Amino acid sequence: ATGESRPSSALLHHTGARPPGVPGRPWLYGPSPLPPYEPIIGFAPPQDCGDERVEGYRCIAFAQGRPEVTREVALSILRCDEVVTAAAAGLGGDSECQFAVQARNAGGWGP
């Protein structure tokens, strides 16, 4: 019989590895005890690592209350177990920032 039918539901298919999920919300331990006194942050690794192991993390720093003023900041991983501890490098002096963290694997950067 001819006529109209409702569209079928879409299937999501990845052609490569899925990126990791969201790491836990970062918290501030405080400044490094040595110059240049970089902030030391901690966060939980993502619960969903995607299809490959996590290869690295990056930090997005933005001016407090102004997410439009963002910059990517390198993370120097100090320790990685149940909690990832890292120094946020290169922020410059006398700034107040909020942080978000992303994880990366062979599938790319997660949310």
Side-chain angles (χ1 to χ4, degrees):
T2 61
E4 293 184 29
S5 65
R6 296 177 7 161
S8 59
S9 60
L11 289 173
L12 182 61
H13 176 74
H14 293 276
T15 58
R18 285 181 313 114
V22 179
R25 183 180 178 158
W27 63 88
L28 179 67
Y29 282 119
S32 168
L34 303 172
Y37 308 109
E38 296 165 329
I40 306 297
I41 63 172
F43 54 92
Q47 290 183 345
D48 176 9
C49 291
D51 295 329
E52 299 286 337
R53 69 177 185 82
V54 171
E55 297 172 351
Y57 296 94
R58 70 178 170 191
C59 180
I60 307 299
F62 55 94
Q64 188 168 3
R66 297 183 58 207
E68 71 278 7
V69 182
T70 62
R71 62 190 277 208
E72 185 177 328
V73 178
L75 284 179
S76 175
I77 304 299
L78 305 173
R79 184 176 176 147
C80 190
D81 43 39
E82 301 90 38
V83 171
V84 179
T85 305
L91 281 173
D94 200 27
S95 60
E96 193 169 324
C97 298
Q98 292 177 311
F99 300 103
V101 177
Q102 291 178 302
R104 177 180 50 84
N105 68 8
W109 289 103

